[in-house]
Amino acid sequence: MEEAGNNGTLDPVCSANERPYSQVILESLDLTGILLFGILTLMTLTADLVFVEEVFYIYRKIPPSKRSIFIWINAAAPVIATTSCIGMWIPRSTMFTDFTAAVFFAIVIHKFLLMMIKECGGQKLFLRHFENDHFKISTGPCCCCCLCLPHIRINRRTLFLLKLGTFQFAFLRPVLMFLSIVLWTNGNYSPSDLSPNGAAIWINCFIGVLTIIALWPIGIMFQRVRALLNCKKIIPKFALYQFALILSQLQATIINILAMEGVIACVPPLSSSARGAYMDQQLLIMEMFLITLISRVVYRKGNDDLELPVVSDQETKGNKQNSRISVEGNIF
């Protein structure tokens, strides 16, 4: 916080915690600020062009059953970079740009789970290949320390529950973000107000719980298929997804806390919270630009269809009969 004069009164900008208009931001920029804005905007446009080129590649090289999923996942970084760039130029649109990025990435989390199943040949082939296996559920972020948890059998019901775990986040987070914007327009919601009497703390805690529940099925599925899909570059794909998640979610939370604690000082025309959001947007543009470039390389390798052993119905019946005979032989 900066003081306005010798009388110790606070600057109105710092006490108001409001985002300035874009004209005020542009008028306050020096040569370094203008260059920074120009470079970050150019990086955003480059990321968008790389994504457009990637869409053309997906339509030419990827089977139709996987196209939409690949496009959704590859669009995550360019969309976050674009919304961050808009929020950087127009600070008062931050609430709406954050809403767009959060909703989009919530859908991407669900799409990533579907992608792992699709890369195994689809749900039917996945269930046929893993019909005698089990899911290890003692994984992060929920139960990585609960090693005593039993393994659950892989079947249609457990696969449906995993899909439901990510789908609830893709459905409920947009609802909660829409509620936040409605309360914000009425003056009942402020991202910087984390007091028990404010709506932000309760909505953010609920979103945090939903996020953990949604990430749990991703971890369970990844642990099961990572060896099988190693030829599909599933590990670097999962790493990129994790980086995008951490940078777009955890980074903003940490910077917001630092701004509220006064670590990030108020520099008119930006208050502490507005300056924190301003820094987060600039960092996200650079980070998502790098993720977009790396994703272009990773998602262009290992796109051949995975050939899993197909078990016919006669073989399945024969295996069951053999197993029954062996059991009876052991009994008698």
Side-chain angles (χ1 to χ4, degrees), residues 40-52:
L40 293 176
T41 304
L42 181 61
M43 293 174 72
T44 303
L45 293 176
T46 303
D48 291 338
L49 291 176
V50 169
F51 169 68
V52 171

Side-chain angles (χ1 to χ4, degrees), residues 68 75 79 125 147 166 171 222 274 309 314:
S68 63
V79 167
L125 197 57
L147 301 179
T166 55
F171 175 76
F222 176 72
Q314 293 181 354

Side-chain angles (χ1 to χ4, degrees), residues 28-101:
S28 64
L29 290 177
D30 54 8
L31 180 58
T32 304
I34 294 173
L35 289 175
L36 180 62
F37 266 55
I39 293 173
L40 293 176
T41 304
L42 181 61
M43 293 174 72
T44 303
L45 293 176
T46 303
D48 291 338
L49 291 176
V50 169
F51 169 68
V52 171
E53 191 269 339
E54 188 67 14
V55 170
F56 282 107
Y57 172 82
I58 290 173
Y59 268 96
R60 285 188 287 108
K61 300 292 185 179
I62 305 299
S65 60
K66 302 178 184 178
R67 285 174 185 169
S68 63
I69 294 177
F70 274 54
I71 290 174
W72 272 96
I73 296 174
N74 279 273
V79 167
I80 295 174
T82 303
T83 55
S84 299
C85 185
I86 295 173
M88 180 183 68
W89 282 98
I90 310 174
R92 294 211 170 195
S93 67
T94 299
M95 195 70 184
F96 299 96
T97 56
D98 289 348
F99 169 80
T100 304

Side-chain angles (χ1 to χ4, degrees), residues 294-309:
I294 299 173
S295 296
R296 181 183 180 276
V297 177
V298 170
Y299 279 87
R300 289 191 176 221
K301 295 181 179 180
N303 288 322
D304 297 332
D305 289 336
L306 184 67
E307 295 182 0
L308 296 178

Side-chain angles (χ1 to χ4, degrees), residues 120-255:
C120 292
Q123 180 171 317
K124 291 183 179 179
L125 197 57
F126 176 86
L127 292 173
R128 182 174 296 180
H129 183 74
F130 293 107
E131 61 181 350
N132 297 320
D133 292 339
H134 294 75
F135 282 126
K136 178 184 176 182
I137 62 175
S138 56
T139 62
C142 286
C143 305
C144 55
C145 298
C146 303
L147 301 179
C148 59
L149 290 176
H151 292 195
I152 59 175
R153 188 175 180 83
I154 297 177
N155 52 40
R156 291 183 180 275
R157 181 174 176 272
T158 54
L159 195 60
F160 171 77
L161 291 176
L162 292 182
K163 290 181 180 179
L164 185 63
T166 55
F167 179 79
Q168 56 83 21
F169 188 61
F171 175 76
L172 291 177
R173 185 165 191 183
V175 174
L176 292 174
M177 294 298 294
F178 177 76
L179 177 62
S180 301
I181 289 182
V182 171
L183 295 176
W184 174 71
T185 57
N186 196 46
N188 302 115
Y189 180 92
S190 174
S192 59
D193 181 15
L194 297 181
S195 63
N197 296 326
I201 183 67
W202 302 107
I203 292 177
N204 290 335
C205 288
F206 193 39
I207 290 177
V209 173
L210 295 179
T211 304
I212 293 174
I213 295 174
L215 297 181
W216 193 20
I218 300 286
I220 294 173
M221 181 63 70
F222 176 72
Q223 291 293 330
R224 180 66 270 177
V225 304
R226 65 177 179 178
L228 179 66
L229 299 181
N230 189 37
C231 60
K232 295 277 191 148
K233 308 295 181 183
I234 191 62
I235 295 178
K237 289 176 182 178
F238 183 77
L240 288 173
Y241 148 81
Q242 289 283 79
F243 278 125
L245 173 69
I246 293 172
L247 294 173
S248 62
Q249 307 298 319
L250 188 59
Q251 177 177 274
T253 303
I254 294 174
I255 291 178

